[in-house]
Amino acid sequence: MTTTSTPPATVPAAGPPAGPPGRPFLNRFRIPAAFLLGAVLLVGVAPLVLSDFRLGLLAKYLCYGIVAVGVSLAWGRGGLLVLGQGVFFGLGGYAMAMHLKLADAAATGQPLPDFMQLYGTEGGLPWWWQPFADPAFALAMTVLLPMAVAALLGVLVFRRRVKGAYFAILSQALAAALAIWLVGQQATTGGTNGLTDFQGFFGYDLNDPVNQRMVYIIIAIALLLLMALARQLFVSRYGELLIAVRDSEERVRFLGYNPANVKLVAYVVAAGMAGLAGALFVPAVGIISPALIGIVPSIGFVIGAAVGGRASLVGAVLGAIAVAWAQSTLSDAWPAGWTYLQGLLFVVAVGFLPGGLASLRTVLRGRRTSDRISDPAPDRASDKTTTGVTA
């Protein structure tokens, strides 16, 4: 007795689904449309619907968002765990604060800022304060000084191929050293109290709510422009090279590029963004102190980008804003435990969702796809057989 069966029907391989005919055209305008929507919400809608107090808080959060743009470039694209961004934030903030204090003293006819008169500074105004009386010099130093410090540190570190945890530890040590130095210079930097009680901002009264809204709009525009700049870096040849250095530094070196220079550019640009954020933070919040630039704030900058998604520019900014909002809200209700919660957020983001919330949709989609592959539908064609019996 012989049994014969027909072979199962051949099922053609499924190719990638064809997208809508106009999809490439729509993708071309997706980024500009999102940028325009963000500009409308930040510059047009927020000042109309938020109170002066809420708008001031949003201005503070947007400054953290500016820092997150640089973190996304250096860490998300370059793999540099920058745990010392508080240093550059503080340098930019103190540069702006020094000019504002000198301008306030000049407006009242005083030779020294008010806190120096209180502490009885001897010998008049320190020499390193004097250039900051010039507004152009002060504005330039808010960005150039952090970039110069980052360039010096980067040359010393990257040329010696220091990376990974060692680079992060050096960044943290620099943040701690700056905070300790500022605390010890009470007569010239305000010490633990820092610099506060600013009255004017380049001729405008900061006590006027209209001028405070102007400061908010400046911060919002700066954030949008820096996001556009970072986006161009992401899609440029340099952005691709930065990713290559992150993924395979030795291979990039073999191809004739110097990875140290590639990482140095990202580190310096991120430092300049952090310095500008600190400079804008001063008129928006009205204070800059060592407590805002030490180790814990530096980790907070990275946590915000990690939670939102360090590889995603929008995700990093939204994550920084969300974490800053949570800190302002939860630290009042739970002041003793907020630091632990902040650390837990960082551990969860890095350990269980490395791409941050921006990658959540991709992760869920990948899990659905893997489940579908592991449990395929039964092949009904293979069940259809014909049997013949031959004597």
Side-chain angles (χ1 to χ4, degrees):
M1 183 173 60
T2 305
T3 303
T4 60
S5 60
T6 60
T10 303
V11 180
R23 194 62 177 269
F25 177 79
L26 294 177
N27 287 339
R28 184 182 306 174
F29 294 96
R30 181 170 58 91
I31 299 299
F35 184 84
L36 180 61
L37 177 61
V40 171
L41 292 176
L42 289 178
V43 180
V45 177
L48 295 178
V49 301
L50 296 180
S51 64
D52 294 336
F53 175 73
R54 296 297 178 186
L55 198 66
L57 286 179
L58 182 57
K60 173 184 175 180
Y61 303 156
L62 294 185
C63 291
Y64 294 150
I66 293 176
V67 180
V69 174
V71 173
S72 179
L73 174 65
W75 187 29
R77 293 283 167 158
L80 303 173
L81 184 53
V82 284
L83 290 179
Q85 292 303 94
V87 173
F88 312 119
F89 184 86
L91 290 174
Y94 270 91
M96 175 62 73
M98 289 163 65
H99 169 72
L100 296 184
K101 296 302 290 184
L102 291 175
D104 290 345
T108 57
Q110 299 295 328
L112 297 175
D114 51 3
F115 77 95
M116 288 188 182
Q117 299 179 29
L118 178 63
Y119 294 136
T121 303
E122 298 179 358
L125 188 67
W127 64 268
W128 50 276
W129 268 75
Q130 296 174 9
F132 288 92
D134 183 7
F137 178 84
L139 283 176
M141 285 298 102
T142 59
V143 177
L144 295 181
L145 182 59
M147 294 178 72
V149 174
L152 178 61
L153 179 64
V155 168
L156 296 176
V157 170
F158 299 138
R159 295 290 173 85
R160 288 167 173 78
R161 302 184 185 183
V162 177
K163 54 186 177 180
Y166 299 102
F167 173 75
I169 292 173
L170 285 175
S171 300
Q172 286 272 275
L174 184 62
L178 179 61
I180 293 172
W181 181 82
L182 290 172
V183 170
Q185 304 296 317
Q186 187 170 4
T188 54
T189 64
T192 306
N193 297 327
L195 302 180
T196 185
D197 194 23
F198 309 107
Q199 302 300 318
F201 180 68
F202 294 94
Y204 294 93
D205 184 10
L206 284 177
N207 296 318
D208 189 347
V210 175
N211 295 332
Q212 281 290 339
R213 288 176 176 263
M214 176 193 68
V215 171
Y216 163 79
I217 292 176
I218 292 174
I219 295 173
I221 293 175
L223 173 61
L224 293 171
L225 292 179
L226 290 177
M227 290 181 67
L229 173 62
R231 171 67 183 176
Q232 289 303 115
L233 289 175
F234 282 7
V235 300
S236 66
R237 179 186 178 91
Y238 170 76
E240 298 296 330
L241 186 59
L242 185 61
I243 294 176
V245 170
R246 178 196 66 189
D247 295 340
S248 183
E249 183 174 330
E250 294 302 326
R251 181 174 297 180
V252 172
R253 183 178 288 107
F254 177 77
L255 293 175
Y257 295 96
N258 189 348
N261 294 336
V262 177
K263 293 190 289 187
L264 180 63
V265 171
Y267 188 52
V268 170
V269 171
M273 292 181 180
L276 180 60
L280 295 174
F281 180 89
V282 169
V285 181
I287 187 174
I288 186 72
S289 69
L292 296 170
I293 65 175
I295 294 178
V296 175
S298 297
I299 296 177
F301 293 144
V302 174
I303 290 175
V307 170
R310 63 182 185 270
S312 169
L313 190 59
V314 177
V317 172
L318 293 180
I321 295 174
V323 170
W325 171 82
Q327 180 178 6
S328 299
T329 304
L330 299 179
S331 61
D332 293 338
W334 196 27
W338 165 247
T339 303
Y340 299 101
L341 179 60
Q342 194 177 36
L344 179 62
L345 282 175
F346 185 67
V347 172
V348 171
V350 174
F352 299 96
L353 198 62
L357 295 178
S359 66
L360 187 59
R361 180 181 177 183
T362 304
V363 171
L364 295 177
R365 184 185 301 172
R367 288 182 179 178
R368 287 197 299 266
T369 303
S370 62
D371 292 341
R372 193 178 299 116
I373 294 175
S374 62
D375 187 19
D379 189 357
R380 300 182 184 279
S382 63
D383 295 338
K384 297 179 180 179
T385 60
T386 59
T387 304
V389 179
T390 306

